[in-house]
Amino acid sequence: MCGIVGYIGEKKAYPILIKGLQCLEYRGYDSAGIALISESGSLNVYKAKGKVADLKVFCEDKDVTGTAGIAHTRWATHGEPNSTNAHPHYSASGRLALIHNGIIENYLTLKEKLIARGISFKSVTDTEVLVQLIEHIMISNDITLLEAVQVALHQVIGAYAIAILDRRHPDTIVCARQSSPLVVGLGAEGDYYLASDASPIAEYTDRVVYLNDGDIAVLQLGKALKVVNIDNETQHPNVKQIDVTLGQLEKGGYPFFMLKEIFEQPACLRDCMRGRINVDADRITLSAVIDYCEKLVSARRIVIVACGTSWHAGLIGKQLIESLCRIPVEVEYASEFRYRDPVIYPDDVVIAISQSGETADTLAAIELARQAGAFVFGVCNAIGASIPRQTQTGVYIHVGPEIGVASTKAFTGQVTVLSMLALCMANERHTIPVELYKEMVRELTLIPAKMEKALKTNEQIERLAPIFTYARNCLYLGRGYNYPVALEGALKLKEISYIHAEGYPAAEMKHGPIALIDSEMPVFVIATRDRLYEKVISNIQEVRARGGRVTAIVTEGDTQIQKFADHIITLPDTLECFQPLIASIPLQLLAYHIAVCKGKDVDRPRNLAKSVTVE
Ligand code: G6P
């Protein structure tokens, strides 16, 4: 979704805000804007359609002085992406400027009331309604900005993270959160930073406060952080230490974050397993399983809720948990689950998987599960995000910030955590023999090294990629554990190259997609050596018989498939259930190189946002 940055202090605000926006551009980027209280005391708002770079160009000849400012990257929800609808929005008198992430659901009702009182609007956004409402309340009741925000938020239905500058109080930013993340950074000189996540703040301070839902914070230069709620009750902020290093946020010599993140995966999975798998590689310890063992192992059913790539990881989790723990698992799109009036039992365990920990639909699904009395477990990457805070327990995937919009390392991190979780629970439930458990744990620790080998296919894939740039449709086939890999491979291609692609269970191809196959349709088949290997070979032959062009992902040493496939990509062998961790690597690389060949902006695909914090 949108990104928010703010600064108030002694330093020049403009460079901090622009850099912060660039850090957050991965969240959404159809327009950007900035508000600064200049040295002369004026409140200047500059906005531009497009990327932060366009805003920078727009600001070149403008007055960007001042040490207080707020800034925003937008991913449109209300109103087309243009500079009028971009944030910040001025209040009617021009005294206030406000930025907002989220959706004000009752904005039309509020807008009608304001129009009836003679207030006119420049944009069609819900955000402008909010700033007009706050100013109207402030002026008509002659109260402070904080008081006006409290009164206004009582009237607002929806999700928001907001930040407001008041020209008359150039040393203060007022901000608030409800269902949309906001982090305050505490500077060393009594100065304050503000952002949607900690990444733009990490360069300046490691002391942060994650605001909670309902919090309203007053950041006043040189004064202690004040946090209250809409009823003016004092809240006690919890200061946390963050450890996001700058190196983690930069591209480290790679042309795109996505490629960096693909190559980081072996190191990330080592981080993910560190401290959880013992040095002898025969035991997994997850504190969440120790603390809530009874709840987890006695689950009558597990329901996994997630969106996008995280949902694909959930499909793999289902197979792992069902086969190792013998507990039935359902995997639900969070967006469907929340509105389907699902049957939820108090002895269900609901696992919410989310890279960002902020996806609105997944959060709503959690809330529904909690209300029904289920035990809710989170699998997240972003530390301190809303999902980890709203679940009873969980496991972080610990793969570091993921910046590329197309998720890669978070997916393999999620699958790794789900593998560890399934093994831990199976061991507790005695549903797998101890020797098999140990063998599987050992094999899991070998995955990062096998991924390194799989990454060596990069050059071959880079050479192959131009062949596929002409394609208008592609088919990805896999069975068993490799079926979700096919779905994920197709999603990656769609997301960044804009080529239509479908993932399908290989055997189901006969029931429809086979009609599409001709010599123009590339078919990618994941045909690693497993229980269904022979059957996948038959599926490849069915494709070939219709003139289809097959690229097969196979296990090293395979001599059979090369007889039928046009191209072969070879991967190291592993246990069938861990195959997705290896087999997804060439598909990530394929999507990446095809998109690069087509000249696409891999890290910023059109219309997509890294974190979808609206439904
Ligand atoms: C967006 C992102 C996807 C991600 C999905 C779920 O669509 O572009 O990459 O898989 O949201 O996000 P989450 O943060 O909940 O995993």
Side-chain angles (χ1 to χ4, degrees), residues 12-171:
K12 282 194 181 346
Y14 178 74
I16 296 172
L17 296 175
I18 288 289
K19 207 166 173 193
L21 286 184
Q22 283 163 337
C23 248
L24 289 180
E25 226 181 354
Y26 70 95
R27 296 171 67 90
Y29 38 77
D30 56 45
S31 50
I34 196 162
L36 294 159
I37 301 182
S38 74
E39 279 166 357
S40 61
S42 58
L43 175 57
N44 297 321
V45 170
Y46 308 122
K47 311 196 267 193
K49 185 177 171 184
K51 299 182 176 171
V52 177
D54 299 307
L55 177 66
K56 259 177 98 175
V57 171
F58 182 78
C59 289
E60 266 164 15
D61 57 352
K62 307 287 185 305
D63 175 2
V64 291
T65 59
T67 60
I70 53 177
H72 188 267
T73 57
R74 178 168 186 253
W75 186 72
T77 53
H78 288 73
E80 66 169 290
N82 58 28
S83 59
T84 311
N85 289 332
H87 305 201
H89 288 281
Y90 275 126
S91 59
S93 76
R95 177 179 155 182
L96 306 180
L98 179 145
I99 52 177
H100 164 224
N101 179 15
I103 288 183
I104 307 302
E105 286 173 11
N106 59 338
Y107 82 105
L108 277 177
T109 321
L110 296 171
K111 190 172 182 174
E112 278 160 18
K113 282 187 194 159
L114 290 166
I115 290 172
R117 285 173 196 163
I119 292 168
S120 59
F121 289 83
K122 294 190 180 64
S123 77
V124 294
T125 62
D126 51 341
T127 304
E128 194 186 357
V129 174
L130 197 51
V131 70
Q132 305 288 25
L133 178 68
I134 292 169
E135 184 178 78
H136 178 70
I137 292 169
M138 184 169 72
I139 293 174
S140 45
N141 298 294
D142 193 19
I143 53 178
T144 65
L145 174 59
L146 171 63
E147 288 163 341
V149 168
Q150 287 167 325
V151 175
L153 293 183
H154 265 293
Q155 298 176 27
V156 161
I157 300 168
Y160 50 79
I162 54 170
I164 312 160
L165 268 187
D166 179 352
R167 195 183 57 212
R168 296 205 192 150
H169 298 279
D171 61 346

Side-chain angles (χ1 to χ4, degrees), residues 1-3 20-29 52 73 75 196-200 249 257 261 355-356 382 401-406 603-605 608-611:
M1 257 334 309
C2 314
L21 286 184
Q22 283 163 337
C23 248
L24 289 180
E25 226 181 354
Y26 70 95
R27 296 171 67 90
Y29 38 77
V52 177
T73 57
W75 186 72
S196 305
D197 68 41
S199 49
L249 297 171
F257 279 112
E261 288 161 2
Q355 186 287 127
S356 61
E402 188 180 66
I403 308 295
V405 168
D603 286 336
R604 300 188 182 100
L608 296 180
K610 182 71 188 155
S611 170

